[in-house]
Amino acid sequence: MSDLGAITDVAGIRVGHHERLDPDASLGSGWATGTTVVLTPPGTVGAVDGRGGAPGTRETDLLDPANSVRWVDAVVLSGGSAYGLAAADGVMAWLEEQGRGVALDGGVVPIVPAAVIFDLPVGGWDRRPTAEFGYAAAQAAAGPDGESPRVGSVGAGTGARAGMLKGGVGTASVTLDLEDQTVTVGALVVVNPTGEVIDDTTGLPWSAQLIEEFGLTAPPSEQLSILGGLAPKSAGLNTTIAVVATDAALSPAGCRRVAIAAQDGLARTIRPAHTPVDGDTVFALATGAVEVPPIAGTPDAMSPETGLVTLVGAAAADCMARAVLVGVLAADSVAAIPTYRGTLPGAFADRAGGRS
């Protein structure tokens, strides 16, 4: 899905994965989990918005615009439920070696918010990411600027499941022409909801716009019958987590509004989204590389960045929706969880090569 871009199109944003996957893993037996790290350039502002009723997070209170810490050094997305939050320790260790973090007497303290998905029943309850996973993912992220990340059943998406089908990692980006400036917005998401990304009556995504954009077509009835016969997902195996990023200069409060808007991308592509048994969490990052003057028409009584936040937030929601589908369409089967490509190959009948 490289034609949809990637979050790494935002200059300075880098993504690394580390996973452990046993080739013969069966459900609940064999490693099938991982960690994804988003590294930021120095001076990146961050915020977060949580809409699910069962979040698993770390250091998110620091991202409240009312609090003192402004910069974010990395964001960790991981499998392993609350155990997987340990991966952030490894990312902190790697960043400390690079001298990244809040400078204090005697050293630095890296700012590394994190969120996790619940994937323990896929690979096994005693097989979850550790600090070593985070360290390896951070190392992997320290590659060339702009390098597109792997998608599908990789990193934190290794054990992900999107409703009845295999989930995974997806990414997308868009550019906006604003006031003689070009602003880039990107999203990276780990798709693991209790809700469905596919309408089982049509075999297609919920959004007609995305069906057209991805070039999908209604699969034949015999494939739809297979889809309808798949077992529903366990109500406890959930949570979609994501990062959106832009090179526009935004305040922490502006980032928070972008994170809120980006959640709409999940609601467009997942039904239901933001449930009591999901921990849906979206981080927003602004590198500040592009200064955009106040958008014409912004009322004087409003913040000068109101118009910019509105446009970036709308773009972030669009990127999020695309990224969700990228993650599902690119996913390979893990632990015998069926994939969209494998179950509904007819949906790609009008596309060259017959696959995403």
Side-chain angles (χ1 to χ4, degrees), residues 209-300:
Q209 178 181 341
L210 291 174
I211 293 170
E212 181 178 356
E213 185 169 355
F214 280 73
L216 301 174
T217 189
S221 57
E222 60 269 22
Q223 293 177 13
L224 279 177
S225 65
I226 295 172
L227 179 67
L230 296 180
K233 185 179 183 182
S234 165
L237 190 63
N238 310 305
T239 294
T240 298
I241 51 180
V243 178
V244 294
T246 181
D247 52 11
L250 296 176
S251 68
C255 276
R256 175 71 193 285
R257 294 307 312 179
V258 169
I260 291 170
Q263 293 271 15
D264 292 346
L266 300 184
R268 293 179 201 168
T269 49
I270 300 167
R271 295 190 183 180
H274 309 146
T275 74
V277 294
D278 285 280
D280 299 343
T281 302
V282 175
F283 297 93
L285 303 171
T287 69
V290 179
E291 292 279 353
V292 180
I295 303 297
T298 301
D300 292 340

Side-chain angles (χ1 to χ4, degrees), residues 103-306:
L104 299 169
D105 290 342
V108 296
V109 178
I111 304 303
V112 184
V116 293
I117 65 168
F118 190 86
D119 62 353
L120 294 173
V122 177
W125 281 76
D126 59 345
R127 299 174 178 90
R128 59 247 186 172
T130 61
E132 287 73 22
F133 277 63
Y135 191 97
Q139 277 191 315
D145 191 19
E147 188 172 62
S148 293
R150 294 179 291 138
V151 295
S153 302
V154 299
T158 301
R161 182 168 179 168
M164 67 183 77
L165 296 172
K166 182 70 180 69
V169 173
T171 188
S173 69
V174 68
T175 56
L176 306 173
D177 293 324
L178 305 175
E179 304 288 341
D180 298 323
Q181 298 276 15
T182 298
V183 168
T184 304
V185 181
L188 181 112
V189 60
V190 182
V191 190
N192 187 59
T194 187
E196 299 294 344
V197 176
I198 302 302
D199 180 351
D200 64 1
T201 65
T202 66
L204 295 171
W206 300 105
S207 166
Q209 178 181 341
L210 291 174
I211 293 170
E212 181 178 356
E213 185 169 355
F214 280 73
L216 301 174
T217 189
S221 57
E222 60 269 22
Q223 293 177 13
L224 279 177
S225 65
I226 295 172
L227 179 67
L230 296 180
K233 185 179 183 182
S234 165
L237 190 63
N238 310 305
T239 294
T240 298
I241 51 180
V243 178
V244 294
T246 181
D247 52 11
L250 296 176
S251 68
C255 276
R256 175 71 193 285
R257 294 307 312 179
V258 169
I260 291 170
Q263 293 271 15
D264 292 346
L266 300 184
R268 293 179 201 168
T269 49
I270 300 167
R271 295 190 183 180
H274 309 146
T275 74
V277 294
D278 285 280
D280 299 343
T281 302
V282 175
F283 297 93
L285 303 171
T287 69
V290 179
E291 292 279 353
V292 180
I295 303 297
T298 301
D300 292 340
M302 293 185 178
S303 165
E305 70 175 2
T306 297

Side-chain angles (χ1 to χ4, degrees), residues 45-46 48 59-71 252-253:
V45 175
V48 66
E59 298 280 45
T60 50
D61 284 351
L62 280 175
L63 301 184
D64 188 317
N67 289 335
S68 300
V69 172
R70 186 178 184 186
W71 315 125

